[in-house]
Amino acid sequence: MNASDEAGEEVRRRMFRVEEAAPWRAFTSPRVLMYHFFGAPLSGRDPDHLFVTAENFRTNLGSLLDSGWRPVDLDSYLGWWAGDVRLPHKSFLLTIDDAHRSVVDLAAPILSSFGIPSVLFVPSGLIGGAVCWSDDYARERIATADELRRLPTTGMELGVHGFDHTRMVALGPSELRRHTVDARLELERVTGVRARAFAYPYGTHDSVTRRGVAEAGYTVSFAVARERGSFARWRICVDGNDSQTAFRFKLTPTYAAASLLGGRAWRARHLVRDQVEAVRRATIAGTGRPRVR
């Protein structure tokens, strides 16, 4: 084990100790935003609202900074969890899943112009290929190795998003290794980057998967609402149909509490969805003032 691996192992041990003492510390942690695609879909269809326009992305970022939110990089985020770094109460880490070509063309330049660091999660077995996990987005391209190699110079760290975007639940040992250990090695082979962060495709995971990610040598992994400690951190999904009011609502303590609870109970998940939909409808109706219970 080299010095870097030893340091990563120490971070993992310390993070587990902190979580055992305060399992709901996630409520006060830096918000982690999750994006997917940018611009417009090639097919003209976007049933899952994965695409965020360049204009809306700039508006999101400007709104965050104007409202006093401060961006952090992965080092600061991990340092906060380890108890080594103090951050402003309103801090956020920006993450992007899937490594769509639009990240290179749109998201990375926009983030760089704002001076905001980020983490891009790459399905490493599909680099230079196309989306294969959804018929609705089958024409969408994944960034090439050359494009990915240039992104760290813009402040975008590369992480792993499985090998080919397979849902990571109920996996056997060989499948689990392919999507954790082999996926990390493949990303390193083609980009030169040894990833320390992982994000679960679809945000789903189980106890075997979480342990497999930890044993593969990652320092942290991210889910969506299903918070389960260092190897399934909570994130906020930013959709293409989120109004600015809905976007701001997703940053509130009310949403955080409901979302964290929703990751553990299906009734609460429906409550979260209902609240966000109420915000969206209120904005469309022109009130701009949703009722939050």
Side-chain angles (χ1 to χ4, degrees), residues 30 71-88 91-93 117 157 196:
V72 301
D73 59 13
L74 188 60
D75 281 327
S76 296
Y77 176 82
L78 294 173
W80 186 92
W81 276 103
D84 295 333
V85 175
R86 297 188 65 180
L87 295 173
S91 299
F92 71 94
L93 172 67
E157 180 167 339
R196 53 182 175 159

Side-chain angles (χ1 to χ4, degrees), residues 36-60:
H36 290 85
F37 306 157
F38 302 87
L42 293 173
S43 67
R45 298 182 63 253
D46 184 15
D48 295 328
H49 311 293
L50 297 181
F51 280 85
V52 174
T53 67
E55 178 183 2
N56 284 348
F57 191 45
R58 289 191 185 93
T59 302
N60 287 168

Side-chain angles (χ1 to χ4, degrees), residues 27 76 148 165 167 232 251 272 287:
F27 181 76
S76 296
L148 292 173
H165 209 278
R167 190 181 296 275
L251 298 169
V272 174
T287 67

Side-chain angles (χ1 to χ4, degrees), residues 220-268:
V220 66
S221 62
F222 294 91
V224 185
R226 298 171 179 86
E227 167 78 23
R228 286 296 188 279
S230 292
F231 291 96
R233 285 277 170 237
W234 168 59
R235 291 189 292 173
I236 298 168
C237 182
V238 182
D239 294 330
N241 67 340
D242 282 345
S243 66
Q244 286 306 303
T245 303
F247 176 72
R248 289 191 293 270
F249 172 63
K250 287 184 173 182
L251 298 169
T252 64
T254 298
Y255 181 84
S259 183
L260 285 164
L261 176 62
R264 296 171 180 266
W266 70 267
R267 292 182 187 276

Side-chain angles (χ1 to χ4, degrees), residues 22-265:
W24 281 97
R25 198 164 170 241
F27 181 76
T28 59
S29 70
R31 299 292 191 266
V32 184
L33 304 181
M34 177 183 68
Y35 288 84
H36 290 85
F37 306 157
F38 302 87
L42 293 173
S43 67
R45 298 182 63 253
D46 184 15
D48 295 328
H49 311 293
L50 297 181
F51 280 85
V52 174
T53 67
E55 178 183 2
N56 284 348
F57 191 45
R58 289 191 185 93
T59 302
N60 287 168
L61 300 181
S63 174
L64 283 167
L65 299 181
D66 291 345
S67 300
W69 286 88
R70 293 295 172 257
V72 301
D73 59 13
L74 188 60
D75 281 327
S76 296
Y77 176 82
L78 294 173
W80 186 92
W81 276 103
D84 295 333
V85 175
R86 297 188 65 180
L87 295 173
H89 174 66
K90 296 170 69 173
S91 299
F92 71 94
L93 172 67
L94 194 144
T95 68
I96 305 171
D97 287 3
D98 301 338
H100 186 258
R101 174 65 186 273
S102 61
V103 173
V104 177
D105 296 335
L106 293 177
I110 292 172
L111 286 166
S112 181
S113 71
F114 278 91
I116 295 176
S118 58
V119 184
L120 175 66
F121 292 105
V122 183
S124 57
L126 301 178
I127 292 172
V131 169
C132 65
W133 59 87
S134 170
D135 291 339
D136 292 313
Y137 300 96
R139 293 175 56 196
E140 301 298 339
R141 305 298 300 178
I142 306 299
T144 67
D146 285 342
E147 291 168 335
L148 292 173
R149 278 193 288 268
R150 294 194 295 268
L151 289 178
T153 64
T154 71
M156 185 174 287
E157 180 167 339
L158 302 184
V160 171
H161 198 38
F163 194 84
D164 57 10
H165 209 278
T166 293
R167 190 181 296 275
M168 294 184 63
V169 293
L171 297 182
S174 62
E175 292 176 294
L176 182 57
R177 178 179 176 83
R178 182 169 187 254
H179 294 293
T180 56
V181 175
D182 294 348
R184 188 187 193 194
L185 290 172
E186 179 65 9
L187 181 67
E188 186 173 12
R189 183 185 72 82
V190 300
T191 68
V193 173
R194 184 171 178 78
R196 53 182 175 159
F198 186 95
Y200 299 101
Y202 306 101
T204 56
H205 52 83
D206 56 26
S207 60
V208 173
T209 299
R210 295 193 298 273
R211 180 171 295 279
V213 172
E215 292 177 349
Y218 295 93
T219 302
V220 66
S221 62
F222 294 91
V224 185
R226 298 171 179 86
E227 167 78 23
R228 286 296 188 279
S230 292
F231 291 96
R233 285 277 170 237
W234 168 59
R235 291 189 292 173
I236 298 168
C237 182
V238 182
D239 294 330
N241 67 340
D242 282 345
S243 66
Q244 286 306 303
T245 303
F247 176 72
R248 289 191 293 270
F249 172 63
K250 287 184 173 182
L251 298 169
T252 64
T254 298
Y255 181 84
S259 183
L260 285 164
L261 176 62
R264 296 171 180 266

